[in-house]
Amino acid sequence: MLKEFLRRVQAVTWNRRMVRLADDSLGLVPERTLQEDRMCILFGCDVPVVLRRLDGDAWAIMGKAFVFGAM
């Protein structure tokens, strides 16, 4: 039972890191997330995503995020 629990924790947290947001809430974001990236919920998405500004008005989706207490 413990082995299964640890396997699931690893699956959820693999290549992710914990962050503290501006409102002091905690979240999990992709490992390559930078401080200047933005987190938002896009229309049609059921989870927050991390966005990185590219040139001009272009943005890249860096991956899914999770915010504790907001999901």
Side-chain angles (χ1 to χ4, degrees):
M1 187 161 102
L2 178 61
K3 187 175 181 178
E4 176 64 17
F5 171 76
L6 293 175
R7 186 188 67 75
R8 289 181 185 220
V9 169
Q10 181 182 22
V12 170
T13 60
W14 196 255
N15 294 324
R16 304 216 172 274
R17 63 180 170 158
M18 187 173 285
V19 294
R20 182 177 302 274
L21 304 174
D23 66 354
D24 284 337
S25 59
L26 296 175
L28 287 174
V29 296
E31 188 174 48
R32 60 189 178 176
T33 301
L34 303 175
Q35 187 171 358
E36 59 269 12
D37 291 343
R38 298 291 178 250
M39 187 184 308
C40 68
I41 299 176
L42 299 174
F43 183 76
C45 290
D46 56 350
V47 295
V49 294
V50 175
L51 299 176
R52 179 169 297 160
R53 184 183 290 274
L54 301 176
D55 297 328
D57 291 333
W59 293 81
I61 297 176
M62 303 309 294
K64 298 178 189 176
F66 177 81
V67 179
F68 294 98
M71 307 300 299

